[in-house]
Amino acid sequence: GESVGLHLPTLSVQEGDNSIINCAYSNSASDYFIWYKQESGKGPQFIIDIRSNMDKRQGQRVTVLLNKTVKHLSLQIAATQPGDSAVYFCAAGGGADGLTFGKGTHLIIQP
Amino acid sequence: DAGVIQSPRHEVTEMGQEVTLRCKPISGHDYLFWYRQTMMRGLELLIYFNNNVPIDDSGMPEDRFSAKMPNASFSTLKIQPSEPRDSAVYFCASLGGLAAPGEQFFGPGTRLTVL
């Protein structure tokens, strides 16, 4: 099966700086990866996804990078804002398997 | 659309009692998922439905847990009897058939505390 882990439980960044949140997965057969944002007291919210035939995908102020060689996934948030403060977690899956979720990195924005 | 609606938002009950959590998915979505989130285990898929039919319930912890979807606009997750280790936040999510698998819309969750 798949296991997904985040490198840091907490990440503190200055407002305006770029944030990078990292994630590792174990199953090389996983071909679909997602990043979610979860604000306090709310359900997870889809941010961006990427399939294994891509190395990079960009959204609004966010970029996801996929390195299949080392089974590593990262989320980059440009010009971090106070509203970006949340728990971010990745999920991996593929084929008949459902998604496996990591536990999350709490992003703290320093003023 | 109001999004995915869950009720109650908070539930406190005593061990041994029956607990029923409710979910109304987004209209037109044909997939519905039930998740459990704890600090120790993170977010875990319990069961999901497609067109009201349970497809995969391999995540349901044990026979004390059951889920139903009698129609496209309503689903329940029942725990009977409840135990303290069932304390968690339970999320319902729905997904439109043409969307990517990750583009699930989550409800606000039900925080369950079993004393």
Side-chain angles (χ1 to χ4, degrees):
Chain A
E2 173 67 275
S3 69
V4 177
L6 281 133
H7 292 187
L8 290 174
T10 303
L11 176 65
S12 183
V13 299
Q14 291 289 126
E15 183 178 345
D17 287 353
N18 295 337
S19 302
I20 300 176
I21 302 170
N22 296 301
C23 184
Y25 62 96
S26 64
N27 189 349
S28 56
S30 291
D31 62 0
Y32 180 62
F33 307 90
I34 313 104
W35 280 101
Y36 292 94
K37 173 185 180 182
Q38 186 173 19
E39 296 174 279
S40 180
K42 297 183 178 180
Q45 179 184 4
F46 172 87
I47 302 173
I48 192 168
D49 60 1
I50 188 168
R51 294 204 176 266
S52 59
N53 60 351
M54 301 174 69
D55 298 323
K56 178 180 179 179
R57 191 171 187 210
Q58 289 184 286
Q60 188 177 14
R61 279 201 308 117
V62 296
T63 300
V64 55
L65 298 178
L66 176 63
N67 185 328
K68 296 180 285 293
T69 302
V70 295
K71 297 198 277 289
H72 181 271
L73 186 69
S74 69
L75 177 71
Q76 300 179 4
I77 304 173
T80 310
Q81 303 170 357
D84 295 328
S85 180
V87 175
Y88 292 82
F89 53 94
C90 62
D97 295 332
L99 297 175
T100 300
F101 294 82
K103 287 194 177 64
T105 290
H106 186 190
L107 181 63
I108 298 170
I109 313 303
Q110 304 281 2
Chain B
D1 200 318
V4 175
I5 299 172
Q6 291 187 247
S7 65
R9 291 295 310 277
H10 302 272
E11 177 81 30
V12 180
T13 191
E14 292 190 344
M15 182 173 62
Q17 296 297 306
E18 177 180 297
V19 174
T20 300
L21 311 181
R22 296 173 176 79
C23 175
K24 176 177 167 43
I26 291 173
S27 177
H29 282 190
D30 44 13
Y31 286 88
L32 184 139
F33 305 81
W34 280 102
Y35 292 92
R36 178 172 65 177
Q37 187 176 44
T38 61
M39 290 292 291
M40 288 294 293
R41 301 173 68 90
L43 194 65
E44 302 173 284
L45 176 66
L46 300 177
I47 185 172
Y48 80 91
F49 296 82
N50 179 218
N51 293 322
N52 313 338
V53 176
I55 303 300
D56 183 359
D57 65 354
S58 59
M60 296 285 262
E62 48 199 272
D63 292 345
R64 298 184 297 107
F65 285 69
S66 63
K68 294 182 180 179
M69 192 165 185
N71 57 63
S73 59
F74 183 66
S75 177
T76 60
L77 178 67
K78 185 176 292 186
I79 308 172
Q80 166 63 16
S82 58
E83 296 182 3
R85 60 194 169 117
D86 302 330
S87 296
V89 181
Y90 291 81
F91 289 103
C92 173
S94 70
L95 176 72
L98 298 180
E103 293 186 57
Q104 300 172 26
F105 287 82
F106 285 78
T110 295
R111 182 174 294 276
L112 174 65
T113 302
V114 183
L115 303 174

